[in-house]
Amino acid sequence: MSPNLRFLHVWRRNLKVWRKILIPSIMGNFGEPVLYLLAFGYGFGMLVGDLGEMPYMVFLASGIICSSAMFTASFEGMYSAYTRMDVQHTWSAMLGAPLTVDDIVLGEVAWAATKGLMSAAAILVVAAVLGLVANAWALLALPVLLLTGFTFGACAMVVTAFSKSYDFFLYYFTLVITPTLLLSGVFFPLEQFPAPVQMLAYLLPLAHTVELVRPLLTGTMPTQVLLHLAVIAAYGVAGLMIATRLIRRRLIR
């Protein structure tokens, strides 16, 4: 890979297109988290009660913020990126400009990370309005969420490189994203799972995101910060390298 700042042109192009649907997109970012928090938080919260000294609503809000970055970045790195690659042939047109495949892939992953951050930030605002955020330390979660979006956007681009149609993405959501959501401490504490399941969970990047973000939203500092960041970043770098190689083979024949 030999990326440089040219990838910002790809990122900016996607931003300009997204601005045309800015209002409905922002409404969706706020509407969905409110539904999740109210339905799951007050519904399950009445049954679960407090988790130690933490109300379940607070526990859930931090998990939903993390999962939102994962879902939004994954969706952007698959459905939207595939549309630009195979339906609109936007990437092929970009290759006619002074851009390389490396620039395109990095620009797309950076844009997926940005969308993931925007979605997570919207939920963070909702959580703050509902009184579920302890203090301003929660703002330190934003860089972690951006990195998480980058990681899942890069992994999604690997799937896009293999995909022959939109239907292919259902396998990834079913076999990877859904288990990651359920095993990463978003809805339930990892300590409630058997030890082998906990070990499996910590092989997934989202679990490390939750370990970093949840303390920040509850007014405490996370532990083993470098380890958690290293795992998340490792998935992102590996995904970016693999996606770039596969997409280069697909576009340049």
Side-chain angles (χ1 to χ4, degrees):
M1 293 182 60
S2 57
N4 52 55
L5 293 179
R6 289 195 302 261
F7 81 90
L8 291 175
H9 296 294
V10 179
W11 180 91
R12 187 170 59 182
R13 180 265 173 199
N14 291 342
L15 175 63
K16 289 182 177 180
V17 173
W18 174 78
R19 284 168 57 185
K20 297 179 180 179
I21 56 171
L22 176 64
I23 301 301
S25 179
I26 292 178
M27 291 178 62
N29 286 339
F30 278 95
E32 185 175 352
V34 170
L35 178 61
Y36 270 102
L37 288 175
L38 294 181
F40 284 91
Y42 288 114
F44 282 131
M46 295 296 292
L47 298 175
V48 175
D50 294 345
L51 298 176
E53 298 181 355
M54 184 185 303
Y56 183 69
M57 276 285 285
V58 175
F59 180 91
L60 179 65
S62 55
I64 293 293
I65 288 171
C66 298
S67 65
S68 177
M70 174 185 71
F71 272 110
T72 303
S74 297
F75 188 95
E76 188 67 28
M78 287 187 290
Y79 289 93
S80 299
Y82 180 82
T83 299
R84 290 187 283 269
M85 177 185 69
D86 198 66
V87 179
Q88 299 174 342
H89 301 289
T90 303
W91 294 0
S92 297
M94 288 180 176
L95 290 175
L99 292 173
T100 65
V101 173
D102 299 46
D103 301 324
I104 294 172
V105 175
L106 182 56
E108 290 286 349
V109 173
W111 174 243
T114 304
K115 288 291 295 293
L117 175 62
M118 288 190 292
S119 178
I123 303 179
L124 180 60
V125 171
V126 173
V129 171
L130 294 176
L132 305 178
V133 176
N135 52 45
W137 283 108
L139 294 176
L140 294 178
L142 296 179
V144 179
L145 295 167
L146 179 64
L147 177 61
T148 301
F150 182 92
T151 291
F152 282 99
C155 293
M157 290 286 286
V158 175
V159 181
T160 297
F162 284 110
S163 181
K164 300 299 182 183
S165 69
Y166 293 109
D167 294 337
F168 186 80
F169 299 137
L170 295 176
Y171 296 107
Y172 181 71
F173 270 104
T174 301
L175 299 177
V176 177
I177 296 298
T178 299
T180 297
L181 175 69
L182 297 177
L183 296 178
S184 296
V186 173
F187 299 106
F188 314 104
L190 286 177
E191 294 76 15
Q192 294 184 354
F193 292 105
V197 178
Q198 293 184 39
M199 294 178 60
L200 174 62
Y202 281 113
L203 294 176
L204 305 172
L206 185 63
H208 295 273
T209 300
V210 174
E211 289 291 324
L212 291 172
V213 171
R214 182 164 285 139
L216 292 172
L217 267 64
T218 55
T220 60
M221 293 302 294
T223 59
Q224 297 182 307
V225 174
L226 294 180
L227 173 63
H228 295 311
L229 290 176
V231 173
I232 301 170
Y235 271 92
V237 172
L240 178 64
M241 295 176 64
I242 295 171
T244 301
R245 177 171 296 185
L246 293 174
I247 291 174
R248 183 183 296 113
R249 291 179 180 176
R250 181 164 180 168
L251 293 181
I252 302 177
R253 301 171 181 175

Coordinates of all heavy atoms in Angstrom, one line a residue, residues 96-174:
G96 N -9.6 6.9 -13.4 CA -9.3 7.7 -14.5 C -8.6 9.1 -14.1 O -8.0 9.8 -14.9
A97 N -8.8 9.4 -12.8 CA -8.2 10.6 -12.3 C -6.9 10.2 -11.7 O -6.5 9.0 -11.6 CB -9.2 11.2 -11.2
P98 N -6.1 11.1 -11.1 CA -4.9 10.8 -10.5 C -5.1 10.2 -9.1 O -4.6 10.7 -8.1 CB -4.1 12.1 -10.4 CG -5.2 13.1 -10.4 CD -6.3 12.6 -11.3
L99 N -5.8 9.0 -9.1 CA -6.1 8.3 -7.9 C -5.7 6.9 -8.1 O -5.9 6.3 -9.2 CB -7.6 8.4 -7.4 CG -8.1 9.8 -7.0 CD1 -9.6 9.8 -6.8 CD2 -7.4 10.2 -5.7
T100 N -5.3 6.2 -7.0 CA -5.0 4.8 -7.1 C -6.0 4.0 -6.3 O -6.9 4.6 -5.6 CB -3.6 4.5 -6.5 OG1 -3.6 4.8 -5.1 CG2 -2.5 5.3 -7.2
V101 N -6.0 2.7 -6.4 CA -6.9 1.8 -5.7 C -6.7 2.1 -4.2 O -7.6 2.1 -3.4 CB -6.7 0.4 -6.0 CG1 -7.6 -0.5 -5.1 CG2 -7.1 0.1 -7.5
D102 N -5.4 2.2 -3.8 CA -5.1 2.5 -2.4 C -5.8 3.7 -1.9 O -6.4 3.8 -0.8 CB -3.6 2.7 -2.2 CG -2.8 1.4 -2.6 OD1 -3.1 0.9 -3.7 OD2 -1.9 1.1 -1.8
D103 N -5.8 4.8 -2.7 CA -6.5 6.0 -2.3 C -8.0 5.8 -2.2 O -8.6 6.3 -1.2 CB -6.2 7.1 -3.4 CG -4.8 7.4 -3.6 OD1 -4.0 7.4 -2.6 OD2 -4.3 7.7 -4.7
I104 N -8.6 5.1 -3.1 CA -10.0 4.9 -3.1 C -10.4 4.1 -1.9 O -11.4 4.5 -1.2 CB -10.5 4.2 -4.4 CG1 -10.2 5.1 -5.6 CG2 -11.9 3.8 -4.3 CD1 -10.4 4.4 -6.9
V105 N -9.7 3.0 -1.6 CA -10.1 2.1 -0.5 C -9.9 2.9 0.8 O -10.8 2.9 1.7 CB -9.3 0.8 -0.5 CG1 -9.6 0.0 0.8 CG2 -9.6 0.0 -1.7
L106 N -8.8 3.6 1.0 CA -8.6 4.3 2.2 C -9.6 5.4 2.4 O -10.1 5.7 3.5 CB -7.2 4.9 2.3 CG -6.8 5.7 3.5 CD1 -7.0 4.8 4.8 CD2 -5.3 6.1 3.4
G107 N -10.0 6.1 1.3 CA -11.0 7.1 1.4 C -12.3 6.6 1.8 O -13.1 7.2 2.5
E108 N -12.7 5.4 1.2 CA -14.0 4.8 1.6 C -14.0 4.4 3.0 O -15.0 4.5 3.7 CB -14.2 3.6 0.7 CG -14.5 3.9 -0.8 CD -15.9 4.5 -1.0 OE1 -16.7 4.4 0.0 OE2 -16.2 5.0 -2.0
V109 N -12.9 3.8 3.5 CA -12.8 3.4 4.9 C -12.9 4.6 5.8 O -13.5 4.5 6.9 CB -11.6 2.5 5.2 CG1 -11.4 2.2 6.6 CG2 -11.6 1.2 4.4
A110 N -12.2 5.6 5.5 CA -12.2 6.9 6.3 C -13.6 7.4 6.3 O -14.1 7.9 7.4 CB -11.2 7.9 5.7
W111 N -14.3 7.4 5.2 CA -15.7 7.9 5.2 C -16.6 7.0 6.0 O -17.5 7.5 6.8 CB -16.2 7.9 3.7 CG -17.7 8.3 3.7 CD1 -18.7 7.5 3.2 CD2 -18.3 9.5 4.1 NE1 -19.9 8.2 3.3 CE2 -19.7 9.4 3.8 CE3 -17.8 10.7 4.7 CZ2 -20.6 10.4 4.2 CZ3 -18.7 11.7 5.0 CH2 -20.0 11.6 4.7
A112 N -16.4 5.7 6.0 CA -17.2 4.7 6.8 C -16.9 5.0 8.3 O -17.9 5.0 9.1 CB -16.8 3.3 6.5
A113 N -15.7 5.3 8.6 CA -15.4 5.7 10.0 C -16.1 7.0 10.4 O -16.6 7.1 11.5 CB -13.9 5.8 10.2
T114 N -16.1 7.9 9.5 CA -16.8 9.2 9.8 C -18.3 9.0 10.0 O -18.9 9.6 11.0 CB -16.6 10.2 8.6 OG1 -15.2 10.4 8.4 CG2 -17.2 11.5 8.9
K115 N -18.9 8.2 9.2 CA -20.3 7.9 9.3 C -20.6 7.2 10.7 O -21.6 7.5 11.4 CB -20.8 7.0 8.2 CG -21.0 7.8 6.9 CD -22.1 8.8 6.9 CE -23.5 8.2 7.0 NZ -23.9 7.4 5.8
G116 N -19.7 6.3 11.0 CA -19.8 5.6 12.3 C -19.7 6.5 13.5 O -20.5 6.4 14.4
L117 N -18.8 7.5 13.4 CA -18.6 8.4 14.4 C -19.9 9.3 14.5 O -20.3 9.6 15.6 CB -17.4 9.3 14.2 CG -17.1 10.4 15.2 CD1 -16.9 9.9 16.6 CD2 -16.0 11.3 14.7
M118 N -20.4 9.8 13.4 CA -21.6 10.7 13.4 C -22.8 9.9 14.1 O -23.5 10.5 14.9 CB -21.9 11.1 12.0 CG -20.9 12.1 11.5 SD -21.4 12.9 9.9 CE -21.4 11.5 8.8
S119 N -22.9 8.7 13.7 CA -24.1 7.9 14.3 C -23.9 7.8 15.8 O -24.8 8.0 16.6 CB -24.2 6.6 13.6 OG -25.2 5.8 14.2
A120 N -22.7 7.4 16.2 CA -22.4 7.2 17.6 C -22.5 8.5 18.4 O -23.1 8.5 19.5 CB -21.0 6.6 17.8
A121 N -22.1 9.6 17.8 CA -22.1 10.9 18.5 C -23.6 11.3 18.7 O -23.9 11.9 19.7 CB -21.4 11.9 17.7
A122 N -24.4 11.0 17.7 CA -25.9 11.3 17.8 C -26.5 10.6 19.0 O -27.3 11.2 19.8 CB -26.6 11.0 16.5
I123 N -26.1 9.3 19.2 CA -26.7 8.6 20.3 C -26.1 9.1 21.6 O -26.8 9.1 22.6 CB -26.4 7.1 20.1 CG1 -26.9 6.6 18.8 CG2 -27.0 6.3 21.3 CD1 -26.7 5.1 18.6
L124 N -24.8 9.5 21.6 CA -24.2 10.1 22.8 C -25.0 11.4 23.2 O -25.2 11.6 24.4 CB -22.8 10.4 22.5 CG -22.0 11.1 23.6 CD1 -22.0 10.1 24.8 CD2 -20.5 11.4 23.2
V125 N -25.4 12.2 22.2 CA -26.2 13.4 22.5 C -27.5 13.0 23.2 O -27.9 13.6 24.2 CB -26.4 14.2 21.3 CG1 -27.4 15.3 21.5 CG2 -25.1 14.8 20.8
V126 N -28.2 12.0 22.6 CA -29.4 11.5 23.1 C -29.3 11.0 24.6 O -30.0 11.3 25.5 CB -30.0 10.4 22.3 CG1 -31.3 9.8 22.9 CG2 -30.4 11.0 20.9
A127 N -28.2 10.2 24.8 CA -27.9 9.7 26.1 C -27.7 10.8 27.1 O -28.1 10.8 28.3 CB -26.7 8.8 26.1
A128 N -27.0 11.9 26.7 CA -26.7 13.0 27.6 C -28.0 13.7 27.9 O -28.2 14.1 29.1 CB -25.7 13.9 26.9
V129 N -28.8 13.9 26.9 CA -30.1 14.6 27.2 C -31.0 13.8 28.2 O -31.7 14.3 29.1 CB -30.9 14.8 25.9 CG1 -32.3 15.3 26.2 CG2 -30.2 15.8 25.0
L130 N -30.9 12.4 28.1 CA -31.6 11.6 29.0 C -31.0 11.4 30.4 O -31.5 10.7 31.3 CB -31.8 10.2 28.4 CG -32.7 10.1 27.2 CD1 -32.7 8.7 26.6 CD2 -34.1 10.6 27.5
G131 N -29.8 12.1 30.6 CA -29.1 12.0 31.9 C -28.4 10.7 32.1 O -28.1 10.3 33.2
L132 N -27.9 10.1 31.0 CA -27.2 8.8 31.1 C -25.7 8.9 31.0 O -25.0 7.9 31.0 CB -27.8 7.8 30.0 CG -29.3 7.6 30.0 CD1 -29.7 6.7 28.8 CD2 -29.7 7.1 31.3
V133 N -25.2 10.1 30.9 CA -23.8 10.4 30.7 C -23.3 11.1 32.0 O -23.9 12.1 32.4 CB -23.5 11.2 29.5 CG1 -22.0 11.6 29.4 CG2 -23.9 10.4 28.2
A134 N -22.3 10.7 32.6 CA -21.8 11.2 33.9 C -21.3 12.6 33.8 O -21.7 13.5 34.5 CB -20.8 10.3 34.5
N135 N -20.3 12.8 32.9 CA -19.7 14.1 32.8 C -19.0 14.3 31.4 O -19.2 13.4 30.5 CB -18.6 14.3 33.9 CG -17.7 13.1 34.0 OD1 -17.2 12.7 33.0 ND2 -17.4 12.7 35.2
A136 N -18.2 15.3 31.3 CA -17.6 15.6 30.0 C -16.5 14.6 29.6 O -16.0 14.7 28.5 CB -17.0 17.0 30.0
W137 N -16.1 13.8 30.5 CA -15.1 12.7 30.1 C -15.6 11.9 29.0 O -14.8 11.2 28.3 CB -14.8 11.8 31.3 CG -13.9 12.5 32.4 CD1 -14.2 12.9 33.6 CD2 -12.5 12.7 32.2 NE1 -13.1 13.4 34.2 CE2 -12.0 13.3 33.4 CE3 -11.5 12.5 31.2 CZ2 -10.7 13.7 33.6 CZ3 -10.2 12.9 31.3 CH2 -9.8 13.5 32.5
A138 N -16.9 11.8 28.8 CA -17.5 11.1 27.7 C -17.0 11.5 26.4 O -17.0 10.7 25.4 CB -19.0 11.1 27.8
L139 N -16.6 12.7 26.2 CA -16.1 13.2 24.9 C -14.8 12.4 24.5 O -14.5 12.4 23.3 CB -15.8 14.7 25.0 CG -17.0 15.6 25.2 CD1 -16.6 17.0 25.3 CD2 -18.0 15.4 24.0
L140 N -14.1 11.9 25.5 CA -12.9 11.1 25.2 C -13.2 9.8 24.4 O -12.4 9.1 23.9 CB -12.1 10.8 26.4 CG -11.5 11.9 27.2 CD1 -10.8 11.5 28.4 CD2 -10.5 12.6 26.3
A141 N -14.5 9.4 24.5 CA -15.0 8.2 23.8 C -15.0 8.4 22.3 O -14.9 7.5 21.5 CB -16.3 7.8 24.3
L142 N -15.1 9.7 21.8 CA -15.2 10.0 20.4 C -14.1 9.4 19.5 O -14.3 8.8 18.5 CB -15.4 11.5 20.1 CG -16.7 12.0 20.7 CD1 -16.8 13.5 20.5 CD2 -18.0 11.3 20.2
P143 N -12.8 9.6 19.9 CA -11.7 9.1 19.1 C -11.8 7.5 19.1 O -11.4 6.9 18.1 CB -10.4 9.6 19.8 CG -10.9 10.8 20.6 CD -12.3 10.5 21.0
V144 N -12.2 6.9 20.2 CA -12.3 5.5 20.2 C -13.4 5.0 19.2 O -13.2 4.0 18.5 CB -12.6 5.0 21.6 CG1 -12.8 3.5 21.7 CG2 -11.5 5.4 22.6
L145 N -14.5 5.7 19.2 CA -15.6 5.4 18.3 C -15.2 5.6 16.8 O -15.6 4.9 15.9 CB -16.8 6.2 18.6 CG -17.4 5.9 20.0 CD1 -18.4 7.0 20.4 CD2 -18.0 4.6 20.0
L146 N -14.4 6.6 16.6 CA -13.8 6.8 15.2 C -13.0 5.7 14.8 O -13.1 5.2 13.7 CB -13.1 8.2 15.2 CG -12.5 8.5 13.8 CD1 -13.6 8.7 12.8 CD2 -11.6 9.8 13.9
L147 N -12.1 5.2 15.7 CA -11.2 4.1 15.4 C -12.1 2.8 15.2 O -11.8 2.0 14.3 CB -10.2 3.9 16.5 CG -9.3 2.7 16.4 CD1 -8.4 2.8 15.1 CD2 -8.4 2.5 17.6
T148 N -13.1 2.7 16.0 CA -14.0 1.5 15.8 C -14.7 1.5 14.4 O -14.8 0.5 13.8 CB -15.0 1.5 16.9 OG1 -14.4 1.4 18.2 CG2 -16.0 0.3 16.8
G149 N -15.1 2.7 14.0 CA -15.7 2.9 12.7 C -14.8 2.5 11.6 O -15.1 1.9 10.6
F150 N -13.5 3.0 11.8 CA -12.5 2.6 10.8 C -12.3 1.1 10.7 O -12.2 0.6 9.6 CB -11.2 3.3 11.2 CG -10.0 3.1 10.2 CD1 -9.8 4.0 9.2 CD2 -9.2 2.0 10.4 CE1 -8.8 3.8 8.3 CE2 -8.2 1.8 9.5 CZ -8.0 2.7 8.4
T151 N -12.2 0.5 11.8 CA -12.0 -1.0 11.9 C -13.1 -1.7 11.2 O -12.9 -2.6 10.3 CB -11.8 -1.5 13.3 OG1 -10.6 -1.0 13.8 CG2 -11.8 -3.0 13.4
F152 N -14.3 -1.4 11.6 CA -15.5 -2.2 11.0 C -15.7 -1.8 9.5 O -16.2 -2.6 8.7 CB -16.7 -2.0 11.8 CG -16.7 -2.9 13.0 CD1 -16.3 -2.4 14.3 CD2 -17.0 -4.2 13.0 CE1 -16.3 -3.2 15.4 CE2 -17.0 -5.0 14.1 CZ -16.6 -4.5 15.3
G153 N -15.4 -0.5 9.2 CA -15.5 -0.1 7.8 C -14.5 -0.9 6.9 O -14.8 -1.3 5.8
A154 N -13.2 -1.1 7.4 CA -12.2 -1.8 6.7 C -12.6 -3.3 6.6 O -12.4 -3.9 5.5 CB -10.9 -1.7 7.4
C155 N -13.1 -3.9 7.6 CA -13.5 -5.3 7.5 C -14.7 -5.4 6.6 O -14.8 -6.4 5.8 CB -13.9 -5.8 8.9 SG -12.5 -5.9 10.1
A156 N -15.6 -4.5 6.6 CA -16.7 -4.5 5.6 C -16.2 -4.4 4.2 O -16.8 -5.1 3.3 CB -17.7 -3.4 5.9
M157 N -15.2 -3.7 3.9 CA -14.7 -3.5 2.6 C -14.1 -4.9 2.1 O -14.1 -5.1 0.9 CB -13.6 -2.4 2.5 CG -14.2 -1.0 2.7 SD -15.0 -0.4 1.2 CE -13.6 -0.1 0.2
V158 N -13.6 -5.7 3.0 CA -13.1 -7.0 2.6 C -14.3 -7.8 2.1 O -14.1 -8.5 1.0 CB -12.4 -7.7 3.8 CG1 -12.1 -9.2 3.4 CG2 -11.2 -7.0 4.3
V159 N -15.4 -7.8 2.7 CA -16.6 -8.5 2.3 C -17.1 -7.9 1.0 O -17.4 -8.7 0.0 CB -17.7 -8.4 3.3 CG1 -18.9 -9.1 2.9 CG2 -17.2 -8.9 4.7
T160 N -17.0 -6.6 0.8 CA -17.4 -6.0 -0.5 C -16.5 -6.5 -1.6 O -17.0 -6.7 -2.7 CB -17.3 -4.4 -0.3 OG1 -18.2 -4.0 0.7 CG2 -17.6 -3.8 -1.7
A161 N -15.3 -6.7 -1.4 CA -14.4 -7.1 -2.4 C -14.8 -8.5 -3.0 O -14.5 -8.8 -4.1 CB -12.9 -7.2 -1.9
F162 N -15.4 -9.3 -2.1 CA -15.8 -10.7 -2.6 C -17.2 -10.7 -3.1 O -17.6 -11.6 -3.9 CB -15.8 -11.6 -1.4 CG -14.4 -12.1 -1.0 CD1 -13.9 -11.7 0.2 CD2 -13.7 -13.0 -1.8 CE1 -12.6 -12.1 0.6 CE2 -12.5 -13.4 -1.4 CZ -11.9 -13.0 -0.2
S163 N -18.0 -9.7 -2.8 CA -19.5 -9.7 -3.1 C -19.8 -9.6 -4.5 O -19.2 -8.9 -5.3 CB -20.2 -8.6 -2.3 OG -21.6 -8.7 -2.5
K164 N -20.8 -10.4 -4.9 CA -21.3 -10.4 -6.3 C -22.7 -9.7 -6.4 O -23.2 -9.5 -7.4 CB -21.4 -11.8 -6.9 CG -20.1 -12.5 -7.0 CD -19.0 -11.8 -7.8 CE -17.7 -12.6 -7.9 NZ -16.7 -11.8 -8.7
S165 N -23.3 -9.5 -5.2 CA -24.6 -8.9 -5.1 C -24.8 -8.4 -3.7 O -24.1 -8.7 -2.8 CB -25.7 -9.9 -5.5 OG -25.9 -10.9 -4.5
Y166 N -25.9 -7.6 -3.5 CA -26.2 -7.2 -2.1 C -26.6 -8.3 -1.2 O -26.4 -8.2 0.0 CB -27.4 -6.2 -2.2 CG -27.1 -4.9 -2.9 CD1 -27.6 -4.6 -4.2 CD2 -26.2 -3.9 -2.4 CE1 -27.3 -3.4 -4.8 CE2 -26.0 -2.7 -3.0 CZ -26.5 -2.5 -4.3 OH -26.2 -1.3 -4.9
D167 N -27.1 -9.4 -1.7 CA -27.5 -10.5 -0.9 C -26.4 -11.1 -0.1 O -26.6 -11.7 1.0 CB -28.2 -11.6 -1.7 CG -29.5 -11.1 -2.3 OD1 -30.1 -10.2 -1.8 OD2 -29.9 -11.7 -3.4
F168 N -25.2 -11.0 -0.7 CA -24.0 -11.6 0.0 C -23.8 -11.0 1.3 O -23.2 -11.7 2.2 CB -22.8 -11.4 -0.9 CG -21.6 -12.1 -0.4 CD1 -21.4 -13.5 -0.7 CD2 -20.6 -11.4 0.2 CE1 -20.2 -14.1 -0.2 CE2 -19.4 -12.1 0.7 CZ -19.3 -13.4 0.4
F169 N -24.1 -9.8 1.5 CA -23.9 -9.1 2.8 C -24.7 -9.7 4.0 O -24.3 -9.5 5.1 CB -24.2 -7.6 2.7 CG -23.3 -6.9 1.6 CD1 -23.9 -6.0 0.8 CD2 -22.0 -7.2 1.5 CE1 -23.1 -5.4 -0.2 CE2 -21.2 -6.6 0.6 CZ -21.8 -5.6 -0.3
L170 N -25.8 -10.4 3.7 CA -26.6 -10.9 4.7 C -25.8 -12.0 5.5 O -26.0 -12.2 6.7 CB -27.9 -11.6 4.1 CG -28.8 -10.6 3.5 CD1 -30.0 -11.3 2.9 CD2 -29.3 -9.6 4.5
Y171 N -24.9 -12.7 4.8 CA -24.1 -13.7 5.5 C -23.2 -13.1 6.5 O -23.0 -13.6 7.6 CB -23.3 -14.5 4.4 CG -24.1 -15.3 3.4 CD1 -24.2 -14.9 2.1 CD2 -24.8 -16.5 3.8 CE1 -25.0 -15.6 1.2 CE2 -25.5 -17.2 2.9 CZ -25.7 -16.8 1.6 OH -26.4 -17.5 0.7
Y172 N -22.6 -12.0 6.1 CA -21.7 -11.3 7.0 C -22.4 -10.8 8.2 O -21.9 -10.9 9.4 CB -21.0 -10.2 6.3 CG -20.0 -9.4 7.1 CD1 -18.7 -10.0 7.5 CD2 -20.2 -8.1 7.5 CE1 -17.8 -9.3 8.3 CE2 -19.3 -7.4 8.3 CZ -18.1 -8.0 8.6 OH -17.2 -7.3 9.4
F173 N -23.6 -10.2 8.0 CA -24.3 -9.7 9.1 C -24.8 -10.8 10.1 O -24.8 -10.7 11.3 CB -25.5 -8.9 8.7 CG -25.3 -7.4 8.4 CD1 -25.1 -6.9 7.1 CD2 -25.1 -6.5 9.5 CE1 -24.8 -5.6 6.9 CE2 -24.9 -5.2 9.3 CZ -24.7 -4.7 8.0
T174 N -25.2 -11.9 9.5 CA -25.7 -13.0 10.3 C -24.6 -13.8 11.0 O -24.7 -14.1 12.2 CB -26.5 -14.0 9.4 OG1 -27.5 -13.3 8.7 CG2 -27.0 -15.2 10.2

